[in-house]
Amino acid sequence: MAAGWIVFMVIVIVAVVLAVIMIVARVILRAVRRTAETAIATNFAPGEAVRSDPVANYFGLGSKGGRQMRGNGALVLTDTRLWFRRAGADGSLEIPLASITSVDIVSSHAGKSIGRPLISVSFDDDSAAWYVRDAAQWRDDILLRCPTASDK
């Protein structure tokens, strides 16, 4: 009887810890989303963004390899640039569409993967990648605005 009670208590404790982790993750993601939406509203005129994702998961620059931080933030496509600001970062990554040489869907970038498709953009002898909900649509929208870019 005592062993059954211990197993039950361990299961309850594990369930409570997992519930707390899930709640904290949701609260953090909401805060990231609000901060990113504010950054988008501050940096872009209404209607300027063709496509945006306030919680895009950034995989970093290819030139820096795996020694950089991955993180969520605001990704915005306009008719002239691709812009990203990671939550908690001071600066932003701004890629003029004229400098993009290729756009592709990849499974990993800079030695990192999450088992989902990533949108990868090559530009100026470097590359960057993000996990976004609709990577194929992002690719198509970028390629539409970058006639010189190739789809690998």
Side-chain angles (χ1 to χ4, degrees):
M1 182 69 175
W5 181 251
I6 292 172
V7 169
F8 174 74
M9 290 304 294
V10 168
I11 291 171
V12 168
I13 291 170
V14 168
V16 168
V17 168
L18 289 176
V20 168
I21 290 170
M22 293 295 288
I23 290 168
V24 168
R26 281 191 160 190
V27 168
I28 291 171
L29 196 56
R30 280 190 196 135
V32 167
R33 178 181 291 276
R34 279 193 303 271
T35 301
E37 287 170 347
T38 300
I40 292 169
T42 301
N43 288 283
F44 298 93
E48 183 180 4
V50 172
R51 175 175 281 282
S52 67
D53 186 340
V55 291
N57 191 341
Y58 180 54
F59 279 68
L61 293 172
S63 61
K64 292 187 177 181
R67 63 182 185 272
Q68 59 191 314
M69 283 188 59
R70 201 171 87 186
N72 292 70
L75 179 63
V76 177
L77 172 65
T78 71
D79 284 327
T80 60
R81 63 186 166 149
L82 187 62
W83 181 89
F84 178 75
R85 178 176 293 159
R86 189 172 51 84
D90 292 331
S92 60
L93 172 63
E94 198 163 324
I95 306 168
L97 296 186
S99 70
I100 294 177
T101 56
S102 67
V103 183
D104 195 18
I105 305 294
V106 297
S107 59
S108 67
H109 182 77
K112 301 172 188 172
S113 176
I114 58 170
R116 295 181 180 163
L118 311 174
I119 181 77
S120 174
V121 177
S122 296
F123 60 98
D124 297 334
D125 296 325
D126 208 345
S127 62
W130 295 266
Y131 168 70
V132 290
R133 287 191 188 268
D134 192 355
Q137 189 61 53
W138 273 89
R139 180 197 59 213
D140 294 347
D141 286 345
I142 294 169
L143 285 170
L144 182 66
R145 287 158 182 80
C146 298
T148 59
S150 67
D151 179 12
K152 290 183 182 177

PDB file of all heavy atoms in Angstrom, residues 33-49:
ATOM      1  N   ARG A  33       5.198  37.867 -27.838  1.00  0.00           N
ATOM      2  CA  ARG A  33       4.275  38.276 -28.911  1.00  0.00           C
ATOM      3  C   ARG A  33       3.908  39.754 -28.772  1.00  0.00           C
ATOM      4  O   ARG A  33       3.948  40.504 -29.750  1.00  0.00           O
ATOM      5  CB  ARG A  33       3.018  37.410 -28.900  1.00  0.00           C
ATOM      6  CG  ARG A  33       2.001  37.818 -29.976  1.00  0.00           C
ATOM      7  CD  ARG A  33       0.751  36.961 -29.923  1.00  0.00           C
ATOM      8  NE  ARG A  33       1.005  35.608 -30.330  1.00  0.00           N
ATOM      9  CZ  ARG A  33       1.030  35.184 -31.592  1.00  0.00           C
ATOM     10  NH1 ARG A  33       0.835  36.041 -32.569  1.00  0.00           N
ATOM     11  NH2 ARG A  33       1.246  33.922 -31.877  1.00  0.00           N
ATOM     12  N   ARG A  34       3.561  40.193 -27.558  1.00  0.00           N
ATOM     13  CA  ARG A  34       3.186  41.597 -27.356  1.00  0.00           C
ATOM     14  C   ARG A  34       4.356  42.530 -27.672  1.00  0.00           C
ATOM     15  O   ARG A  34       4.185  43.559 -28.321  1.00  0.00           O
ATOM     16  CB  ARG A  34       2.702  41.827 -25.922  1.00  0.00           C
ATOM     17  CG  ARG A  34       1.258  41.426 -25.688  1.00  0.00           C
ATOM     18  CD  ARG A  34       0.734  41.951 -24.364  1.00  0.00           C
ATOM     19  NE  ARG A  34       1.534  41.526 -23.219  1.00  0.00           N
ATOM     20  CZ  ARG A  34       1.348  40.405 -22.533  1.00  0.00           C
ATOM     21  NH1 ARG A  34       0.378  39.579 -22.868  1.00  0.00           N
ATOM     22  NH2 ARG A  34       2.124  40.109 -21.498  1.00  0.00           N
ATOM     23  N   THR A  35       5.541  42.173 -27.209  1.00  0.00           N
ATOM     24  CA  THR A  35       6.725  42.991 -27.475  1.00  0.00           C
ATOM     25  C   THR A  35       7.006  43.056 -28.973  1.00  0.00           C
ATOM     26  O   THR A  35       7.312  44.127 -29.512  1.00  0.00           O
ATOM     27  CB  THR A  35       7.949  42.408 -26.734  1.00  0.00           C
ATOM     28  OG1 THR A  35       7.661  42.376 -25.342  1.00  0.00           O
ATOM     29  CG2 THR A  35       9.189  43.226 -26.976  1.00  0.00           C
ATOM     30  N   ALA A  36       6.890  41.929 -29.644  1.00  0.00           N
ATOM     31  CA  ALA A  36       7.144  41.878 -31.089  1.00  0.00           C
ATOM     32  C   ALA A  36       6.096  42.674 -31.856  1.00  0.00           C
ATOM     33  O   ALA A  36       6.427  43.391 -32.808  1.00  0.00           O
ATOM     34  CB  ALA A  36       7.168  40.428 -31.563  1.00  0.00           C
ATOM     35  N   GLU A  37       4.845  42.577 -31.465  1.00  0.00           N
ATOM     36  CA  GLU A  37       3.790  43.333 -32.144  1.00  0.00           C
ATOM     37  C   GLU A  37       4.008  44.832 -31.971  1.00  0.00           C
ATOM     38  O   GLU A  37       3.771  45.614 -32.897  1.00  0.00           O
ATOM     39  CB  GLU A  37       2.420  42.900 -31.639  1.00  0.00           C
ATOM     40  CG  GLU A  37       2.023  41.521 -32.158  1.00  0.00           C
ATOM     41  CD  GLU A  37       0.773  40.946 -31.503  1.00  0.00           C
ATOM     42  OE1 GLU A  37       0.323  41.492 -30.466  1.00  0.00           O
ATOM     43  OE2 GLU A  37       0.265  39.942 -32.027  1.00  0.00           O
ATOM     44  N   THR A  38       4.495  45.243 -30.803  1.00  0.00           N
ATOM     45  CA  THR A  38       4.823  46.650 -30.571  1.00  0.00           C
ATOM     46  C   THR A  38       5.985  47.076 -31.465  1.00  0.00           C
ATOM     47  O   THR A  38       5.964  48.160 -32.052  1.00  0.00           O
ATOM     48  CB  THR A  38       5.170  46.891 -29.087  1.00  0.00           C
ATOM     49  OG1 THR A  38       4.032  46.529 -28.294  1.00  0.00           O
ATOM     50  CG2 THR A  38       5.541  48.334 -28.824  1.00  0.00           C
ATOM     51  N   ALA A  39       7.008  46.229 -31.572  1.00  0.00           N
ATOM     52  CA  ALA A  39       8.159  46.533 -32.436  1.00  0.00           C
ATOM     53  C   ALA A  39       7.730  46.658 -33.893  1.00  0.00           C
ATOM     54  O   ALA A  39       8.198  47.560 -34.610  1.00  0.00           O
ATOM     55  CB  ALA A  39       9.234  45.463 -32.288  1.00  0.00           C
ATOM     56  N   ILE A  40       6.835  45.801 -34.333  1.00  0.00           N
ATOM     57  CA  ILE A  40       6.338  45.862 -35.710  1.00  0.00           C
ATOM     58  C   ILE A  40       5.572  47.162 -35.925  1.00  0.00           C
ATOM     59  O   ILE A  40       5.797  47.876 -36.912  1.00  0.00           O
ATOM     60  CB  ILE A  40       5.463  44.632 -36.041  1.00  0.00           C
ATOM     61  CG1 ILE A  40       6.329  43.372 -36.085  1.00  0.00           C
ATOM     62  CG2 ILE A  40       4.726  44.826 -37.367  1.00  0.00           C
ATOM     63  CD1 ILE A  40       5.535  42.073 -36.149  1.00  0.00           C
ATOM     64  N   ALA A  41       4.690  47.504 -34.997  1.00  0.00           N
ATOM     65  CA  ALA A  41       3.896  48.731 -35.123  1.00  0.00           C
ATOM     66  C   ALA A  41       4.783  49.977 -35.089  1.00  0.00           C
ATOM     67  O   ALA A  41       4.493  50.970 -35.762  1.00  0.00           O
ATOM     68  CB  ALA A  41       2.857  48.793 -34.012  1.00  0.00           C
ATOM     69  N   THR A  42       5.864  49.921 -34.325  1.00  0.00           N
ATOM     70  CA  THR A  42       6.777  51.061 -34.209  1.00  0.00           C
ATOM     71  C   THR A  42       7.630  51.240 -35.459  1.00  0.00           C
ATOM     72  O   THR A  42       7.899  52.367 -35.870  1.00  0.00           O
ATOM     73  CB  THR A  42       7.711  50.869 -32.987  1.00  0.00           C
ATOM     74  OG1 THR A  42       6.909  50.746 -31.823  1.00  0.00           O
ATOM     75  CG2 THR A  42       8.677  52.021 -32.828  1.00  0.00           C
ATOM     76  N   ASN A  43       8.050  50.157 -36.074  1.00  0.00           N
ATOM     77  CA  ASN A  43       9.004  50.219 -37.186  1.00  0.00           C
ATOM     78  C   ASN A  43       8.381  50.194 -38.583  1.00  0.00           C
ATOM     79  O   ASN A  43       9.101  50.409 -39.563  1.00  0.00           O
ATOM     80  CB  ASN A  43      10.003  49.062 -37.072  1.00  0.00           C
ATOM     81  CG  ASN A  43      10.966  49.279 -35.924  1.00  0.00           C
ATOM     82  OD1 ASN A  43      11.887  50.067 -36.036  1.00  0.00           O
ATOM     83  ND2 ASN A  43      10.735  48.591 -34.813  1.00  0.00           N
ATOM     84  N   PHE A  44       7.089  49.931 -38.660  1.00  0.00           N
ATOM     85  CA  PHE A  44       6.453  49.819 -39.972  1.00  0.00           C
ATOM     86  C   PHE A  44       5.143  50.577 -40.007  1.00  0.00           C
ATOM     87  O   PHE A  44       4.363  50.535 -39.051  1.00  0.00           O
ATOM     88  CB  PHE A  44       6.210  48.345 -40.332  1.00  0.00           C
ATOM     89  CG  PHE A  44       7.480  47.557 -40.421  1.00  0.00           C
ATOM     90  CD1 PHE A  44       7.966  46.871 -39.323  1.00  0.00           C
ATOM     91  CD2 PHE A  44       8.213  47.537 -41.596  1.00  0.00           C
ATOM     92  CE1 PHE A  44       9.153  46.169 -39.379  1.00  0.00           C
ATOM     93  CE2 PHE A  44       9.408  46.831 -41.669  1.00  0.00           C
ATOM     94  CZ  PHE A  44       9.873  46.150 -40.563  1.00  0.00           C
ATOM     95  N   ALA A  45       4.907  51.253 -41.128  1.00  0.00           N
ATOM     96  CA  ALA A  45       3.647  51.963 -41.326  1.00  0.00           C
ATOM     97  C   ALA A  45       2.532  50.940 -41.542  1.00  0.00           C
ATOM     98  O   ALA A  45       2.788  49.832 -42.023  1.00  0.00           O
ATOM     99  CB  ALA A  45       3.761  52.881 -42.540  1.00  0.00           C
ATOM    100  N   PRO A  46       1.299  51.303 -41.211  1.00  0.00           N
ATOM    101  CA  PRO A  46       0.182  50.376 -41.460  1.00  0.00           C
ATOM    102  C   PRO A  46       0.128  49.989 -42.940  1.00  0.00           C
ATOM    103  O   PRO A  46       0.240  50.838 -43.819  1.00  0.00           O
ATOM    104  CB  PRO A  46      -1.053  51.192 -41.057  1.00  0.00           C
ATOM    105  CG  PRO A  46      -0.528  52.195 -40.075  1.00  0.00           C
ATOM    106  CD  PRO A  46       0.863  52.527 -40.551  1.00  0.00           C
ATOM    107  N   GLY A  47       0.039  48.711 -43.201  1.00  0.00           N
ATOM    108  CA  GLY A  47      -0.026  48.204 -44.562  1.00  0.00           C
ATOM    109  C   GLY A  47       1.324  47.992 -45.228  1.00  0.00           C
ATOM    110  O   GLY A  47       1.394  47.440 -46.321  1.00  0.00           O
ATOM    111  N   GLU A  48       2.411  48.425 -44.584  1.00  0.00           N
ATOM    112  CA  GLU A  48       3.750  48.252 -45.171  1.00  0.00           C
ATOM    113  C   GLU A  48       4.191  46.787 -45.123  1.00  0.00           C
ATOM    114  O   GLU A  48       4.848  46.304 -46.042  1.00  0.00           O
ATOM    115  CB  GLU A  48       4.763  49.120 -44.426  1.00  0.00           C
ATOM    116  CG  GLU A  48       6.154  49.067 -45.010  1.00  0.00           C
ATOM    117  CD  GLU A  48       7.143  49.942 -44.252  1.00  0.00           C
ATOM    118  OE1 GLU A  48       6.795  50.538 -43.223  1.00  0.00           O
ATOM    119  OE2 GLU A  48       8.304  49.994 -44.715  1.00  0.00           O
ATOM    120  N   ALA A  49       3.828  46.082 -44.079  1.00  0.00           N
ATOM    121  CA  ALA A  49       4.215  44.675 -43.931  1.00  0.00           C
ATOM    122  C   ALA A  49       3.350  43.815 -44.842  1.00  0.00           C
ATOM    123  O   ALA A  49       2.130  43.826 -44.752  1.00  0.00           O
ATOM    124  CB  ALA A  49       4.064  44.229 -42.485  1.00  0.00           C
TER     125      ALA A  49
END
